[in-house]
Amino acid sequence: MERHHKITHRGPAEDFFARMLRRRPWSQFSPTAEPPRSALILRLVLATSGMAVCGVFAGLAVIIGQPLLAIAMAALTAVATFDIAVILRHRATR
């Protein structure tokens, strides 16, 4: 039979980190002193720009006759498209 012991004494390092988290370190960097929000919009912008750039490079690779590069860029475009779909689905559930 296992016994779980509750730790009652925290060391000085744990107390230090607990104090730092209570201080709200984001208030030093944020002009409004609000806690950070989700970065889904930034992720959506980055995925969209990545999809556009990879799509353009895939088209250019087809034009110049580089099939392996075109396939690689098309695969990255598909990954970015899937990522956009996941982000939009996650935003819809919020």
Side-chain angles (χ1 to χ4, degrees):
M1 178 179 235
E2 293 182 29
R3 289 187 178 183
H4 297 283
H5 296 285
K6 186 176 181 181
I7 299 174
T8 57
H9 174 67
R10 292 194 282 175
E14 290 173 318
D15 291 335
F16 172 75
F17 288 118
R19 282 193 313 270
M20 290 302 291
L21 287 176
R22 281 193 301 265
R23 281 181 157 176
R24 300 180 186 178
W26 61 81
S27 64
Q28 297 175 6
F29 302 107
S30 173
T32 61
E34 294 178 2
R37 294 182 290 175
S38 175
L40 285 176
I41 298 293
L42 176 62
R43 185 175 161 194
L44 182 63
V45 168
L46 291 174
T48 304
S49 62
M51 182 185 69
V53 168
C54 288
V56 168
F57 283 153
L60 289 174
V62 168
I63 291 172
I64 64 172
Q66 296 289 326
L68 291 177
L69 182 61
I71 292 170
M73 290 293 111
L76 288 175
T77 303
V79 168
T81 304
F82 179 74
D83 191 30
I84 290 170
V86 169
I87 294 167
L88 292 176
R89 182 173 168 224
H90 185 69
R91 285 197 60 196
T93 60
R94 293 177 87 206

